[in-house]
Amino acid sequence: MSGDVRFTVTRTLSKDQQARRERLIDSARELALEGGYAAVTMHDVADRAGVARATVYRYFATKDHLLTEVAAAWAHHVTDDIDALAVGGTQLERLTALLERIVFVAAQEPTLTSAIIQAVTSDDSSVDDARTILFQFLRDRLSAAIGDPVPEREDVELVLGHILLAALISLASLRQPVEDVATMVRTSGRLVLAGALSAASPT
């Protein structure tokens, strides 16, 4: 994650504080990769990051808040080079290339995906701001992949964001085969874009 990226920390952080915060996120990610949601505790995150337990709570209110920030860092990493990922000559090709990229990366790290989905969909109020920022970021990435003008673009972005969330839940919670999920996002992307374009076409 870029050093100048901040999600839900509203105060300005010093270089040392930012580095400490990122180390906590990295430690939580490593624990989630190793053992899933249950393996991530604030105590173990603090130990792995080499800080006092109270330090974790200076940056993250709860475990779900921390894992939602892990999800945000993961999303930035996966979609960092949008021009290279969203390949193709048409809007649909670019969109499906990005959706499939996210699906296949998520399938390669099932314990991490499961952990962050459980946190992101939590009813923990401390997750609200981080989740909103994460979802908006993903919508922006999907919009950038589409590129060309689309009628009712905000609605299209919103629906595509829900499709992506459903795809990740299908992988993480329902254990659906990755090829089936990739087919689902391809089909859904095509239908959403076709529906938006056809609705704007004169009859």
Side-chain angles (χ1 to χ4, degrees):
M1 186 174 63
S2 171
D4 62 355
V5 171
R6 293 197 301 274
F7 296 108
T8 60
V9 174
T10 56
R11 66 186 186 280
T12 301
L13 300 179
S14 68
K15 180 181 288 189
D16 287 345
Q17 289 172 325
Q18 184 68 19
R20 190 176 301 117
R21 183 176 184 275
E22 292 180 7
R23 193 161 72 246
L24 290 167
I25 291 173
D26 289 342
S27 296
R29 180 182 183 277
E30 291 168 3
L31 288 165
L33 273 169
E34 293 167 8
Y37 183 83
V40 182
T41 68
M42 300 300 244
H43 178 274
D44 289 342
V45 168
D47 283 352
R48 180 159 299 204
V51 301
R53 193 184 313 182
T55 300
V56 186
Y57 290 99
R58 290 178 58 191
Y59 299 95
F60 310 103
T62 64
K63 165 179 166 174
D64 286 339
H65 177 199
L66 172 55
L67 280 170
T68 301
E69 298 286 6
V70 171
W74 179 89
H76 274 260
H77 173 71
V78 171
T79 65
D80 186 52
D81 191 348
I82 192 70
D83 292 331
L85 294 172
V87 295
T90 69
Q91 292 170 300
L92 180 58
E93 288 171 341
R94 295 192 298 270
L95 173 63
T96 55
L98 180 59
L99 287 170
E100 288 179 356
R101 158 72 172 173
I102 295 172
V103 165
F104 281 110
V105 170
Q108 291 170 2
E109 301 173 332
T111 56
L112 174 61
T113 300
S114 179
I116 62 180
I117 287 298
Q118 189 168 342
V120 166
T121 58
S122 167
D123 62 0
D124 178 354
S125 62
S126 71
V127 171
D128 291 348
D129 289 344
R131 176 171 51 216
T132 297
I133 295 170
L134 169 61
F135 286 0
Q136 185 59 57
F137 170 78
L138 289 171
R139 285 178 56 182
D140 290 345
R141 296 287 83 190
L142 294 169
S143 182
I146 295 170
D148 300 333
V150 174
E152 299 180 331
R153 192 179 191 92
E154 289 189 3
D155 291 339
V156 170
E157 293 171 9
L158 180 61
V159 172
L160 290 173
H162 283 293
I163 288 169
L164 180 57
L165 179 59
L168 297 179
I169 291 173
S170 294
L171 286 173
S173 302
L174 304 180
R175 306 294 190 216
Q176 294 296 311
V178 62
E179 291 294 346
D180 290 352
V181 177
T183 298
M184 183 269 284
V185 295
R186 279 196 303 271
T187 301
S188 300
R190 174 174 57 82
L191 293 173
V192 170
L193 282 184
L197 293 172
S198 65
S201 299
T203 55

